[in-house]
Each structure stands twice: as structure tokens, then as C-alpha cells.
Amino acid sequence: MRYSKKTMKLRMDYNNMMSASVGKDGFTDKNLSAIGDELTKAFNAVEAGKGKGMMGWADLPYNQDEVVEDILETAKQIRKNYEYFVVLGIGGSALGPIAAFQAICHLHYNDLPKRKRKGPKFYVEDNVDPERMEALLDVIDVEKTMFNVITKSGSTSETMTQYLIINNILTKKLGAKAKEHIIATTSKSTGNLIKIATKENYKTFYIPDGVGGRFSELCPVGLLPAAVVGIDIKGMLAGAKYMMEQCDSDNVKKNPALMAAALQHLAMQRGKNIGVMMPYADGLKFIADWYAQLWAESLGKNKKLDGSDCNVGQTPVKSLGVTDQHSQVQLYAEGPFDKVITFIGVDDYRTTVKIPEGCEEYPNVNFLCGHTMNELIQAERKATEYAVTKAGKLNYTIMLPELNEFTLGQLLMYFMLQTAYAGALLGIDTFNQPGVEEGKNATYALLGRPGYDEKRQELANAPQKQNKYII
Ligand code: PA5
């Protein structure tokens, strides 16, 4: 293997969740022991569920040899024949590809000259803002573009709208050859996209039945776009597998994802209903977006598995170190005691930038000289961690030895396992999203989709807006 497990292992430092560091809001070993039985139950539930029902994602590091070869060959052809690669999708079908691209590729990848890029220019249409679509069409040449339509359900309005627009343009320009510019990634058994793909003879990759949108980055949803831009997808899967190995114990002190879930669970019980994710690396900026969907959609529920009512979940907030030190940290340090902050640090950045000598006559600037930006960002991460801890605010840190495919794979699997354990601790269905479905159905009704008359009526009967409350 290209990566060493020994040197590339993620570390979780939860000192600042414990009262010894953070004071009265922190937890003790006793608090953790007191929920020992719950943790064992949650661990066993996740173990028993792996590979079954909607936990097909737990098998992805092990069961994709064949599809990975197909993806690598397809990606090679795309790199050879196309200048642009565009993902059409939304939510779980877009956030993972964006996060992996940002994490591994050059931060100005699309601006690099062709010879320096490992693949075509890369775009993800994660919305239906007409200005965004027009802007995309302004910068790509559709005749040199491969479009990857990704939708598990095969019927999401946003994705199908993007597809309809692009297919129309392609067909007008290229006629029957339009199909050579579309790859479908969807469910093999349900939805409209698979029917369209079969009829149009699109190259198709399948999203396994047991893999939901927000858990899909390690299946063809994420792997094809990643491979196209030159990301080592085998390395990502190896990292994910390694995290599965690190989390194979019901001893919370030996299982980092279970520890994170346990501490977040205890925190939520004490009303810490906001979870801030603050990576100190631009490459990880969109991991916070991906995680926000994973955590919010999985845990934000109003029914427990036993049918009883609840209103649970923790609101994820995306933050970027050090940028957001200058916008949000004031609130985190001095605001309400309602948050858990997850810092993500990187030991070795992929480059070192020295701060040159200068401003000798200004000691308050000159002190920076001779240091590196690497030292500065590390110092700022440690300093912010210290400041919020001193203010008594719960926080913990995940350290990546380096940001690469192997550590990214570990990080993704760590968060997916953490979410599965947290859902089991809450006693909810982690893998459904009835709240999202409600909005999707209301959209269908408003736009006249057949079969949605009843929903249309329900919307018509809902309380109407009163002008007196609009100023
Ligand atoms: O996590 C989920 O299941 C959702 O957020 C979906 O990813 C999102 O709604 C897009 O759905 P689909 O892939 O079916 O188009």
C-alpha cells in the first residue's frame, strides 16, 4: 500500500471535552462509564446492521473491486477525451464529490494550465439557481464536456431539471451523439433516471440500495468524479477500511468514532445543540459542508425507532480556521454554553511557505519574519483551542498527519461511523430523511407532478400569508 498506517493514522484528542481541562461543563471518566451499557448497545446495533438495510456503506471499502476497475478505466477515457467534467446532482449526490475535490486537488485546480491538471476542469451543480446554470454554460463548452448525472432516487427535481436543460442543449448540438456526453449514477432498481439511462443507452454506475445519499461518497457517486480529477480512489477506500479497523472495539477508549458519538451524546443531553466543525485547512473547508448534511439529516428526527415522539439533533455549523476566527470565534468564546467545537488540524501541510524578512523597523510585524505560514496556522489553531477551553467551552481536535487520500478516507468513515453510533444512542432511524421528503413532495405538488393532487390540495388549505405581516 502507498500509505503507511503507522504514520498516517488519525488522532482524536478529547482532552477539552473533559472537566480536567475545560472545567464544570466537561465530562469525567465516570460520566463515560455511566453510559457504558448504552455505548455497548449502540456499538452492537451498528455492528449488527453493517452491510444490511441502509448500512450498505459499511461494506464499500470491501466490495467494490470490480466497479473500481470500471471507474478507473472510464475516468481514463474521460481524461483523454473531455475538457470539462460536470456533476449534476444535489445534497448527498454533490457534497461528497465537492469535498473530495477540494481536499485532494490543487486549490485553484480549474485555473491551472491543462498540462498541470490531472484531469478535465471540474464543476458540481449543487443548486437550481438559474444564474448558476447560465454561469456554468458561459465557462464550459458542452461539446467537450462529460456530464455525470447523480441521483439515487432518480427523480429529484433539482437534478432532473439540470439534466433536462443539459440534455436539451446536447441533443440540439450533437443529435444522437449527445449520449456520449452523459453518465448516469443512480439506483439500479428504482426511479426515472435508470429508465432514461437504459432507453438512451448511457454509461451507468449503480448506487447500491443500502447506501443513502449522505453516506455515498465512497461508492460511484464520489469515486467516479474523484478518479476523473486524478484522486487515488483506492487510497481513499484503503483509508476508510483502516478506520473501520480502528473502530472495531466496543471499548469506547479504543474506538474513536464511538468516543466522538459518546461525547456528543452526553453534550446534547446537556443542551449543547450546536456542533461547530472548524477545520484548519482550506482543503477541508467542504468536509464541513459534507459533514453538516450527514449530521443534520441523520440525527434531526422527531420519532424514535420505538414510535415515541422526540425532537433531537444537533445543528451543525461550518467554520474555517483561521478565517472564521475573525468572524465567529468571539461568539464561541464568550457566547452561550450551547456548542461543541470540533477542530480539525493537519500536522504537515503539503507545502511550506516561509515568511520573509522585512519591516525591520516595526517589531510588532517583524516578529513574524523567519517563521513559516505553517507555524502560524498551527499556532493559531492551538491558540484558539486554548482560548475557547479557557472560556469553558467544549471542544475536541482531530489531527490528520497530512491531508491525502488515505487520511481523507479515514476521516469520511470516522464521521459516518460516529453518526451511526450517535443515531443508535438517540434511538432514532439514522438513515431516513422524512423532513427532506416533505419538501420534495411539496415541490412536486407546486409544479404539477402527476399523482400529487392531494398534496396540492393540502398546500392550498394551509394557512395563507397575510399582507399585514409583510412590510
Ligand atoms: O442524504 C440524502 O438522502 C439526501 O440529502 C439526498 O442526497 C438528496 O436529497 C439528493 O437525493 P437523490 O440522490 O435521490 O437525488
Side-chain angles (χ1 to χ4, degrees), residues 104-385:
I104 305 298
C105 293
H106 189 286
L107 289 171
H108 292 291
Y109 172 94
N110 280 348
D111 299 327
L112 289 174
K114 200 173 169 187
R115 73 193 148 75
K116 285 201 172 170
R117 271 186 274 120
K118 287 190 189 161
K121 289 193 178 184
F122 182 77
Y123 301 93
V124 182
E125 283 301 281
D126 186 23
N127 204 350
V128 284
D129 181 338
E131 293 182 18
R132 179 158 170 175
M133 178 56 80
E134 191 148 310
L136 173 76
L137 293 170
D138 281 343
V139 296
I140 62 168
D141 175 349
V142 292
E143 293 182 47
K144 295 176 182 163
T145 305
M146 177 60 87
F147 295 92
N148 184 194
V149 194
I150 308 180
T151 166
K152 166 88 187 278
S153 64
S155 58
T156 302
S157 305
E158 295 87 344
T159 308
M160 296 320 286
T161 297
Q162 294 163 1
Y163 164 75
L164 284 163
I165 293 165
I166 293 299
N167 189 42
N168 183 262
I169 296 170
L170 283 171
T171 308
K172 275 188 189 149
K173 285 194 183 251
L174 300 169
K177 281 190 173 299
K179 66 167 184 279
E180 291 168 18
H181 291 257
I182 296 177
I183 293 177
T185 304
T186 190
S187 162
K188 196 174 197 168
S189 50
T190 54
N192 297 311
L193 184 59
I194 187 62
K195 292 182 200 146
I196 299 168
T198 309
K199 184 165 162 266
E200 300 292 334
N201 204 16
Y202 295 150
K203 168 78 185 163
T204 302
F205 288 97
Y206 301 114
I207 306 175
D209 286 344
V211 178
R214 55 192 178 273
F215 288 86
S216 67
E217 174 52 19
L218 296 172
C219 83
V221 168
L223 297 183
L224 177 63
V228 167
V229 290
I231 294 173
D232 168 15
I233 58 173
K234 288 186 180 172
M236 266 171 80
L237 289 168
K241 187 173 164 196
Y242 182 39
M243 184 49 73
M244 300 283 291
E245 290 166 19
Q246 291 172 61
C247 297
D248 70 352
S249 168
D250 67 351
N251 178 346
V252 69
K253 296 199 169 164
K254 293 191 176 155
N255 180 334
L258 185 60
M259 178 58 87
L263 292 167
Q264 292 281 17
H265 185 66
L266 288 170
M268 283 187 252
Q269 285 179 338
R270 291 195 193 163
K272 318 290 180 205
N273 289 324
I274 298 174
V276 177
M277 166 80 55
M278 192 163 187
Y280 274 72
D282 274 60
L284 293 171
K285 182 173 177 175
F286 294 112
I287 281 290
D289 280 53
W290 171 83
Y291 172 81
Q293 186 210 16
L294 180 72
W295 197 238
E297 272 193 6
S298 301
L299 302 190
K301 300 289 155 69
N302 66 6
K303 280 265 179 274
K304 293 204 172 202
L305 283 170
D306 63 10
S308 61
D309 292 333
C310 65
N311 288 102
V312 294
Q314 191 190 49
T315 306
V317 172
K318 305 171 272 186
S319 194
L320 178 67
V322 305
T323 307
D324 286 313
Q325 284 176 203
H326 299 271
S327 76
Q328 299 178 16
V329 166
Q330 170 62 31
L331 171 73
Y332 302 159
E334 294 190 1
F337 287 77
D338 57 359
K339 300 172 194 67
V340 176
I341 306 166
T342 306
F343 294 110
I344 310 181
V346 177
D347 289 326
D348 291 322
Y349 290 82
R350 288 166 285 195
T351 189
T352 301
V353 176
K354 237 185 134 195
I355 305 171
E357 287 305 324
C359 294
E360 283 79 4
E361 63 277 37
Y362 304 104
N364 290 348
V365 177
N366 186 256
F367 77 97
L368 295 164
C369 303
H371 290 290
T372 60
M373 288 182 89
N374 309 53
E375 288 172 308
L376 179 62
I377 196 168
Q378 298 292 15
E380 295 211 36
R381 178 181 57 74
K382 286 179 194 159
T384 303
E385 195 188 291

